[in-house]
Amino acid sequence: MAAATANPAISHNSPFTPLSKSPKLPSRFTLPSSPNPQKPALRRPLQVTNVLSTPNPAINATSPPTPTASAAKTTFISRFAPDEPRKGSDVLVEALEREGVTEVFAYPGGASLEIHQALTRSAVVRNVLPRHEQGGVFAAEGYARASGRTGVCIATSGPGATNLVSGLADALLDSIPIVAITGQVPRRMIGTDAFQETPIVEVTRSITKHNYLVLDVEDIPRIVREAFFLASSGRPGPAAYTTTGGHLEQIVRLISEAKKPVLYVGGGCLNSSEELRRFVELTGIPVASTLMGLGSYPCSDELSLQMLGMHGTVYANYAVDRSDLLLAFGVRFDDRVTGKLEAFASRAKIVHIDIDSAEIGKNKQPHVSVCADVKLALQGLNEILEGKRADLKFDFSVWRGELNEQKEKYPLSFKTFGDAIPPQYAIQVLDELTNGDAIITTGVGQHQMWAAQFYKYNRPRQWCTSGGLGAMGFGLPAAIGAAVARPDAVVVDIDGDGSFMMNVQELATIRVENLPIKVLLLNNQHLGMVVQWEDRFYKANRAHTYLGNPAEETEIFPNMLKFAEACGIPAARVTTKGDLRAAIQTMLDTPGPYLLDVIVPHQEHVLPMIPSGGAFQDVITEGDGRWTY
């Protein structure tokens, strides 16, 4: 989830002046905790059934942050002598070092200049320079999504800080841990409409988990520690209490009574993939995943129903519609999953396990709810199931057979028209040539949905996309973050021409950093998803969705290869299906970055499709832009 937005560059006397001796800042100081830190606001109060916790002492909003396990085991050695004066910016950078930060995505400006100077003095923290602050925050997200660690971005005051807003909102909706640090005008000038002043704390308060306005340099170490703790400790929730296994026993009983159970798993399961797989082994329950949950259970497994929801598989949505028990783990019953709420899983008893109490009952009322880390809950459920293996004989073979019939009747498919390249086929070939092992980032639109459908994600953190916010321009900078976090992995940005152009400047960062990012650009010269809706619901009336040059409609515009050439990145264009496989193989074999411009027809539609607000019975499985509606 989005982390605190901190503004460390504010002080009556600039915090970047040298500090004299201070008992609060020795070289191995213990980070102090605020006696009464600002309490993160819950989304809304909610009475929940129960709360699971570890045996550790309870943590609530007024408890001091607990260092991570690695921090507790390792003594940090400061590069400053105990009595050595230092600037506040050096204190900030050293605080980042203490949190294990090795890379940040920072764009400098007047109010953050001292931070960048301090970064040059660090032998630990490297800055990957984005070419736009939005590129920086999306890269920090990509870093966090691919690695599971907290991403860090830094910007200056005013427009630099406001350029982070989309990324912060995106991280909040998708529960991605990032810490954003911005500069601010000098303290004496706050509220005077000074140059590049914006009230960024107020601007970001509703789209961050927590935020801070730092007014005292000596608060920096504590606030940085708190920010990282809050960013990585799950969504804001109630205090943790110990509990009996009664509710888990109840869930096991419901499973034993069910005839048609189905798992509905989301992004909350990404850190509990191993436990989820074991749970499925013990129960034999089929698994449907949300867009954010892809990879938490292997998509190529026979019990996987792949993605459910608006553009999910027919068989996944069928399973939920016909189920008598819906096990909703780490999900939030998003509208793009449920459609018409009252019709969603209307035959089923619902079990909802989620770490955020505000999500339980917010959209769909469960019959049994547990507010807990899904990993803990699954460990508890597996322990119960393993202890009762001799007595519990689950047999859902008839139900699985029914779903297999749906898989055979309604597989994910596409049509080919002459030599034109179906975009779905391009992703299918990429999946084959990478053995399903690549980390995939995307922009937002049709290409995003096809990437979710036709690439088989078999492990968590392979899939990096903007889910809740749906932010175009996400794919390319997110690929930068993923490549920095996972230099051992093949990273491919599957993008559309509309999304790609929104942050095309980040090609410069890719080239300078020599990141081996591959861009598979599905170029249809249109805003494809909006065109699809125009075709279906607006009689194909084009309302500013053509992205080419109207004066030269037969030409590809703009020439994406020129963007790549300007940044010294190898690139090629492919226009026929017969040449596609070799072109993708060349892209993968070329050392360093590469852009492949794949020209695809704009008439293609993402199918299946359940119209917004519709139910499973409204699913569309046929048609494209060549049809008349």
Side-chain angles (χ1 to χ4, degrees):
M1 185 176 280
T5 302
N7 298 12
I10 305 174
S11 176
H12 180 68
N13 295 315
S14 171
F16 303 115
T17 55
L19 295 176
S20 59
K21 292 183 183 180
S22 170
K24 295 184 181 178
L25 289 172
S27 63
R28 293 190 179 92
F29 56 83
T30 301
L31 293 174
S33 170
S34 169
N36 188 24
Q38 179 184 345
K39 182 177 181 179
L42 295 178
R43 295 185 178 183
R44 66 184 181 91
L46 185 70
Q47 183 72 28
V48 296
T49 306
N50 216 332
V51 180
L52 291 178
S53 77
T54 59
N56 295 331
I59 299 172
N60 57 35
T62 57
S63 298
T66 303
T68 61
S70 59
K73 294 177 182 177
T74 306
T75 301
F76 181 83
I77 307 298
S78 174
R79 65 179 182 272
F80 297 99
D83 58 348
E84 182 180 354
R86 72 206 76 166
K87 291 187 173 183
S89 56
D90 289 308
V91 174
L92 171 63
V93 171
E94 185 169 273
L96 294 176
E97 293 173 357
R98 288 175 183 271
E99 297 302 319
V101 174
T102 54
E103 290 92 10
V104 297
F105 304 89
Y107 197 90
S112 63
L113 189 150
E114 284 282 357
I115 300 174
H116 283 263
Q117 290 295 310
L119 286 170
T120 67
R121 295 189 286 270
S122 173
V124 176
V125 182
R126 175 174 74 99
N127 182 35
V128 177
L129 177 67
R131 267 41 181 189
H132 189 286
E133 291 91 353
Q134 186 181 92
V137 67
F138 283 162
E141 276 198 80
Y143 181 96
R145 291 172 190 258
S147 68
R149 301 188 296 272
T150 301
V152 181
C153 59
I154 302 174
T156 190
S157 64
T162 56
N163 279 341
L164 301 180
V165 166
S166 290
L168 295 176
D170 187 61
L172 182 70
L173 281 170
D174 287 353
S175 303
I176 306 302
I178 64 171
V179 169
I181 301 169
T182 73
Q184 183 56 291
V185 300
R187 184 174 181 176
R188 67 183 182 281
M189 298 174 69
I190 293 176
T192 66
D193 293 332
F195 177 66
Q196 292 193 334
E197 180 194 0
T198 57
I200 195 62
V201 169
E202 287 73 20
V203 168
T204 62
R205 180 167 286 129
S206 62
I207 56 169
T208 55
K209 195 173 179 182
H210 197 54
N211 60 23
Y212 301 84
L213 179 65
V214 183
L215 298 174
D216 189 335
V217 64
E218 294 187 348
D219 288 337
I220 291 174
R222 170 185 59 82
I223 287 174
V224 169
R225 171 59 57 88
E226 289 180 5
F228 274 82
F229 173 78
L230 290 170
S232 60
S233 61
R235 288 185 169 196
Y241 301 95
T242 56
T243 183
T244 66
H247 288 80
L248 301 184
E249 292 275 4
Q250 186 180 3
I251 294 170
V252 172
R253 179 176 59 79
L254 289 174
I255 295 171
S256 67
E257 295 171 353
K259 303 296 182 186
K260 298 183 176 184
V262 64
L263 273 157
Y264 157 36
V265 301
C269 291
L270 290 176
N271 290 331
S272 52
S273 177
E274 184 179 338
E275 289 81 4
L276 177 62
R277 294 185 194 198
R278 181 58 180 156
F279 180 80
V280 175
E281 286 176 11
L282 291 168
T283 62
I285 298 175
V287 184
S289 173
T290 68
L291 181 72
M292 295 306 303
L294 289 172
S296 56
Y297 188 80
C299 290
S300 59
D301 188 84
E302 63 178 359
L303 286 178
S304 172
L305 302 172
Q306 296 180 250
M307 186 174 71
L308 80 164
M310 177 178 282
H311 293 295
T313 63
V314 170
Y315 39 90
N317 288 317
Y318 175 93
V320 172
D321 185 68
R322 300 302 173 89
S323 67
D324 59 7
L325 177 64
L326 183 68
L327 301 173
F329 293 174
V331 298
R332 58 188 181 92
F333 291 88
D334 175 71
D335 64 289
R336 289 298 172 103
V337 167
T338 64
K340 188 177 181 181
L341 263 174
E342 54 269 32
F344 182 76
S346 59
R347 300 173 173 87
K349 294 178 180 177
I350 297 175
V351 173
H352 192 183
I353 301 177
D354 198 86
I355 199 170
D356 186 356
S357 64
E359 293 297 345
I360 296 177
K362 184 178 77 174
N363 294 326
K364 190 80 173 178
Q365 192 62 44
H367 297 80
V368 177
S369 62
V370 178
C371 182
D373 186 328
V374 174
K375 190 179 188 74
L376 273 176
L378 280 170
Q379 287 172 351
L381 286 168
N382 290 344
E383 185 177 338
I384 293 169
L385 290 167
E386 287 167 349
K388 295 185 175 183
R389 290 185 77 175
D391 301 322
L392 294 172
K393 302 293 183 183
F394 299 126
D395 183 7
F396 303 123
S397 56
V398 174
W399 172 230
R400 290 197 297 269
E402 183 179 338
L403 297 181
N404 286 336
E405 289 178 8
Q406 291 294 310
K407 285 185 178 183
E408 293 175 8
K409 189 176 180 180
Y410 298 105
L412 287 173
S413 61
F414 54 87
K415 296 178 181 178
T416 300
F417 295 88
D419 290 333
I421 301 173
Q424 306 94 321
Y425 175 68
I427 296 167
Q428 197 174 68
V429 171
L430 178 70
D431 179 49
E432 293 171 8
L433 294 180
T434 58
N435 297 313
D437 287 334
I439 291 176
I440 303 295
T441 69
T442 75
V444 169
Q446 287 182 313
H447 69 276
Q448 175 191 30
M449 294 297 102
W450 286 319
Q453 292 176 335
F454 287 91
Y455 200 95
K456 299 298 183 285
Y457 305 94
N458 290 320
R459 64 178 189 276
R461 307 202 176 281
Q462 272 188 273
W463 169 243
C464 304
T465 196
S466 173
L469 192 67
M472 291 178 67
F474 178 84
L476 194 63
I480 292 174
V484 170
R486 293 286 310 281
D488 58 315
V490 175
V491 178
V492 182
D493 171 30
I494 299 176
D495 227 327
D497 47 316
S499 277
F500 178 72
M501 285 191 290
M502 286 197 174
N503 272 314
V504 68
Q505 75 285 340
E506 299 307 326
L507 287 174
T509 301
I510 291 171
R511 176 71 282 170
V512 169
E513 296 289 335
N514 197 31
L515 299 172
I517 292 167
K518 316 301 181 183
V519 180
L520 186 71
L521 184 59
L522 302 180
N523 188 347
N524 65 6
Q525 297 282 280
H526 288 74
L527 288 173
M529 188 61 84
V530 186
V531 165
Q532 177 170 331
W533 283 54
E534 287 176 336
D535 288 341
R536 296 278 178 177
F537 310 118
Y538 294 90
K539 299 180 180 180
N541 181 46
R542 296 289 175 259
H544 321 118
T545 50
Y546 175 59
L547 299 178
N549 182 357
E552 298 285 347
E553 289 194 7
T554 59
E555 300 296 323
I556 302 299
F557 177 87
N559 188 341
M560 302 297 183
L561 306 184
K562 295 294 185 181
F563 288 142
E565 181 185 349
C567 294
I569 292 176
R573 176 177 293 158
V574 59
T575 59
T576 61
K577 185 181 179 185
D579 295 331
L580 179 66
R581 182 176 292 270
I584 292 178
Q585 189 64 64
T586 298
M587 175 187 76
L588 295 171
D589 291 343
T590 302
Y594 193 98
L595 186 148
L596 182 61
D597 191 19
V598 183
I599 307 304
V600 299
H602 72 273
Q603 296 94 338
E604 292 294 325
H605 285 186
V606 180
L607 296 174
M609 177 184 180
I610 298 176
S612 181
F616 172 67
Q617 287 71 22
D618 305 312
V619 65
I620 299 168
T621 59
E622 294 289 337
D624 56 28
R626 302 170 184 88
W627 291 28
T628 300
Y629 301 93

